[in-house]
Amino acid sequence: MSDSCIDLVQLDATDDPDQAQHLQRWLRERAWTRAAEAEFKAPHPTTSESGLLRLTDALAPKGMQLLRNEPRGEIAVTITSGWRAYTATANYEPPACPACGERAEPIIGAESADPFIEVVGSWWETRVAPEHTCPLCDHRAVITDWNLDNAVACSSLAITAEMYGAENDLRQELEGEFGGQWATMHEHI
C-alpha cells in the first residue's frame, strides 16, 4: 500500500446508512469498481474512528485505464459512510473563496494560524456547514460553497483509493449522477 491516496468527499451527504451500498452498486454498474479478489487493508491504517461503515472493492478496468502510473496489482477502492473529517494532510491548501477565487494563506503569528481550521472545528462538532468570511475580499458564504479541494472537509460519505489520474473523471460522473458538492483530497499520509 502506498502512503498516499485520493479522497472524493460528498460535502452534502446525509447520515443515511444505505448510501454506501447505493454508491457501491452505482460504481460497479458503471464499471468503476468490481468485487475484490483479495481482502484489502483499510486505506487509513492509522484511523480508529468507530461507527464508520467501510465497503471495499477493487478498481475496475475503466478506472485502471485512466491511472497515471502502472498499477501494482489490485487497487482498493473504499467507500466510507459515517461522520469524519478528510484532509489533504501534507498537501493541505487553504480553501478557495467562491467570490475572488483566492486561497488565503494562514496568518503567521495570529491567534489562530489558519482561521479556517476553527470553522472546520465548528462543522465537525455541529455537523452543520458554517459560514466563513474571506480574509482577502470579505465575501461570506457557507463553507461548502468554497473550493475545498486539498483543504479539510467533514462528510458522511467518501470514496478513497490510489487512483491518480482517474479522480477527475470519476468526480465528474459522481457530480452528474448524485449532484451535490464534492471535494477532492490528494492525501499524503
Side-chain angles (χ1 to χ4, degrees), residues 8-79:
L8 294 174
V9 182
Q10 187 177 24
L11 301 176
D12 45 5
T14 64
D15 283 329
D16 179 0
D18 295 330
Q19 65 189 350
Q21 289 91 350
H22 176 70
L23 181 56
Q24 183 181 46
R25 277 191 306 277
W26 182 85
L27 287 167
R28 286 179 177 182
E29 288 168 3
R30 300 300 186 288
W32 277 102
T33 64
R34 59 175 174 72
E37 294 174 12
E39 192 168 323
F40 291 108
K41 292 182 181 179
H44 296 279
T46 59
T47 303
S48 61
E49 300 103 337
S50 62
L52 296 180
L53 169 66
R54 288 197 166 106
L55 303 174
T56 302
D57 276 346
L59 193 62
K62 180 177 185 174
M64 296 288 266
Q65 293 171 359
L66 297 169
L67 296 178
R68 275 186 257 168
N69 299 318
E70 185 69 29
R72 301 173 313 271
E74 285 192 312
I75 294 178
V77 178
T78 301
I79 300 165

Side-chain angles (χ1 to χ4, degrees), residues 75-104:
I75 294 178
V77 178
T78 301
I79 300 165
T80 302
S81 179
W83 190 247
R84 82 175 283 257
Y86 295 87
T87 181
T89 54
N91 293 325
Y92 172 79
E93 297 177 33
C97 173
C100 70
E102 295 296 318
R103 292 184 181 266

Side-chain angles (χ1 to χ4, degrees), residues 52-185:
L52 296 180
L53 169 66
R54 288 197 166 106
L55 303 174
T56 302
D57 276 346
L59 193 62
K62 180 177 185 174
M64 296 288 266
Q65 293 171 359
L66 297 169
L67 296 178
R68 275 186 257 168
N69 299 318
E70 185 69 29
R72 301 173 313 271
E74 285 192 312
I75 294 178
V77 178
T78 301
I79 300 165
T80 302
S81 179
W83 190 247
R84 82 175 283 257
Y86 295 87
T87 181
T89 54
N91 293 325
Y92 172 79
E93 297 177 33
C97 173
C100 70
E102 295 296 318
R103 292 184 181 266
E105 292 300 318
I107 305 163
I108 305 303
E111 190 173 310
S112 173
D114 188 346
F116 173 66
I117 298 303
E118 291 179 17
V119 172
V120 172
S122 170
W123 188 6
W124 173 256
E125 291 173 12
T126 65
R127 294 184 179 214
V128 175
E131 290 189 343
H132 184 53
T133 302
C134 178
L136 302 174
C137 73
D138 289 328
H139 178 75
R140 186 167 182 79
V142 176
I143 196 60
T144 54
D145 289 342
W146 290 58
N147 177 348
L148 298 178
D149 293 345
N150 289 330
V152 180
C154 300
S155 179
S156 294
L157 186 65
I159 301 169
T160 301
E162 295 175 37
M163 59 179 151
Y164 297 98
E167 70 274 19
N168 293 334
D169 289 44
L170 177 54
R171 179 173 168 174
Q172 188 173 28
E173 283 192 38
L174 289 165
E175 290 172 338
E177 177 70 20
F178 297 99
Q181 297 161 299
W182 292 77
T184 303
M185 305 293 166

